[in-house]
Amino acid sequence: MGICETHENTSKCSVNSMECFMVLSTQAQKISIATLCGLFGILCILENILVLYLIFSSPGTRRKPSYLFISSLALADILASIIFVCSFVSFHVFKESDFSKEVFLLQLAGVTTSFSASLSSLLLTALDRYLSISRPSEYKLLMTRRRAWIALGVLWVTCATIASLPLLGWNCCTLNSTCSELFPFVDGSYLSSWICFTLLLLGCITCAYARVLHRARQHVAYMEQHQAQGAKQQSSRMRMDVTLAKTLVMVLAVLVLCWSPVLGLMTYSIFSRLSDRLRRAFAFCSTLCLLNSMVNPIIYALRSKELFASLRVVFSQCRRQLKASEESPEAGSAHKSSVIET
């Protein structure tokens, strides 16, 4: 057992002990982490900004509660990318530890709030899809824009409150308890509670998507039997619900694959002492959360017909502007030459 590990499990709350959590020992590891965080973070921010623009620039999408929940997911991913990359790189790569316990816990609260809001937004989206596909005739009455905004407000307030508990006193320094091996100043019982909260969200999302897929399969069977007899509008509505349900299942699959290593190592740290190799692996696995945030907008662009159509309009407008800017100097030179000839 190393000196840092012994100090970490006995002293717990010294600012100097934060150096024990800086597990990247070689320059290659630091460059790898900085590259991954920079690449995933920049792409995630740009893609989610594009998603927000596509949603709110179109009256047809910004009025729908479904896309309000997707907007909340995109906003949470943007905030998580900014806060996570800045704090993670400065801590592990540049080894900055000259800040107080409160500042570190505030940064951790920002990251926790953003990622928790991302998961909660997926849960609201799943519940919205299940309500839409199971009760289509009553959907517009049940899910209004006002109720969607209220749900989002409750979501963000709840996530911010849970994430702020260590800053408000639920930390190992205030309680004089055992600190986590993965996060400075974080109480082990709080980490256990947050893991349970996250697993509960994932479980609810999985159950909701299972119900959505079940209803989607029933709708597909119904369309195959009544396509020639049924109304085209109702058939189009069902096809849209089925497509969006498949999209959200893809999002869930990526979410589980990206979060499983992190949650697994967190859970393992509660019951057993981690080696430096596992803590180093946790640092690299943490970048998978950024990968998840980066992949989500790509799935929306490929699977959502409305967003994809808006994206094509944006690209066509950019192309026209580029052509206009390329033609304007030629037009100007032609005009100048004609004046000279005159």
Side-chain angles (χ1 to χ4, degrees):
M1 184 184 298
I3 297 177
C4 276
E5 190 174 351
T6 304
H7 179 72
E8 172 194 340
N9 287 278
T10 55
S11 178
K12 308 176 184 65
C13 290
S14 174
V15 176
N16 295 329
S17 66
M18 293 182 66
E19 297 179 359
C20 303
F21 294 88
M22 301 175 182
V23 294
L24 303 182
S25 55
T26 65
Q27 194 67 19
Q29 294 171 359
K30 296 177 184 178
I31 294 175
S32 300
I33 283 289
T35 303
L36 291 174
C37 288
L39 178 63
F40 293 162
I42 292 174
L43 289 177
C44 176
I45 292 172
L46 294 178
E47 290 172 359
N48 282 288
I49 288 176
L50 179 61
V51 169
L52 290 176
Y53 173 78
L54 293 177
I55 291 175
F56 288 99
S57 63
S58 173
T61 54
R62 67 169 177 258
R63 294 173 183 171
K64 295 182 179 180
S66 302
Y67 288 102
L68 288 179
F69 299 145
I70 294 176
S71 301
S72 174
L73 175 62
L75 177 61
D77 288 337
I78 291 174
L79 294 177
S81 300
I82 295 174
I83 303 173
F84 178 83
V85 170
C86 293
S87 58
F88 196 78
V89 172
S90 64
F91 185 80
H92 284 286
V93 177
F94 297 105
K95 294 186 178 298
E96 295 183 2
S97 59
D98 55 341
F99 45 80
S100 63
K101 175 193 70 175
E102 288 74 17
V103 172
F104 178 84
L105 291 178
L106 181 62
Q107 293 177 352
L108 185 62
V111 175
T112 306
T113 299
S114 303
F115 282 126
S116 298
S118 179
L119 293 175
S120 302
S121 298
L122 279 176
L123 176 58
L124 286 182
T125 307
L127 295 176
D128 172 76
R129 284 299 90 202
Y130 175 69
L131 185 63
S132 173
I133 205 170
S134 61
R135 305 175 70 175
S137 60
E138 306 174 24
Y139 172 74
K140 290 186 177 180
L141 296 177
L142 295 175
M143 184 54 67
T144 61
R145 280 176 54 86
R146 181 173 178 272
R147 291 179 178 177
W149 281 111
I150 292 175
L152 289 176
V154 172
L155 178 157
W156 281 91
V157 170
T158 302
C159 292
T161 301
I162 294 174
S164 301
L165 291 177
L167 186 62
L168 297 176
W170 193 354
N171 57 75
C172 56
C173 301
T174 304
L175 301 177
N176 195 23
S177 57
T178 302
C179 293
S180 167
E181 294 186 70
L182 295 174
F183 305 100
F185 311 122
V186 174
D187 180 68
S189 60
Y190 172 80
L191 182 61
S192 302
S193 301
W194 188 82
I195 293 173
C196 292
F197 172 70
T198 304
L199 292 177
L200 178 63
L201 287 177
L202 289 174
C204 293
I205 293 171
T206 303
C207 292
Y209 283 141
R211 296 294 299 170
V212 167
L213 280 183
H214 178 68
R215 297 293 297 178
R217 292 183 63 182
Q218 289 181 340
H219 281 184
V220 170
Y222 176 84
M223 286 188 294
E224 291 177 351
Q225 295 177 2
H226 302 84
Q227 189 172 8
Q229 306 173 4
K232 292 184 178 180
Q233 184 177 2
Q234 184 70 12
S235 177
S236 175
R237 171 77 179 184
M238 290 179 180
R239 289 184 185 276
M240 182 188 68
D241 289 337
V242 170
T243 301
L244 193 51
K246 292 179 180 179
T247 299
L248 297 178
V249 169
M250 291 175 62
V251 173
L252 176 62
V254 173
L255 179 73
V256 172
L257 290 176
C258 292
W259 276 85
S260 295
V262 173
L263 292 176
L265 287 174
M266 285 184 181
T267 305
Y268 182 76
S269 69
I270 296 174
F271 301 101
S272 180
R273 186 166 294 172
L274 296 179
S275 63
D276 289 341
R277 180 177 297 180
L278 285 178
R279 294 200 296 163
R280 196 174 298 117
F282 177 79
F284 279 92
C285 289
S286 299
T287 60
L288 292 177
C289 301
L290 281 179
L291 178 63
N292 169 69
S293 300
M294 185 192 72
V295 170
N296 284 341
I298 298 176
I299 298 177
Y300 300 146
L302 293 177
R303 300 290 299 178
S304 174
K305 291 184 178 180
E306 291 174 290
L307 291 184
F308 187 73
S310 300
L311 185 61
R312 291 175 59 184
V313 171
V314 171
F315 282 156
S316 62
Q317 291 176 351
C318 292
R319 256 199 316 265
R320 284 197 297 266
Q321 290 179 358
L322 288 175
K323 288 183 179 179
S325 63
E326 291 175 356
E327 293 173 357
S328 57
E330 298 176 358
S333 60
H335 175 71
K336 187 181 296 183
S337 61
S338 64
V339 171
I340 294 174
E341 290 175 0
T342 304

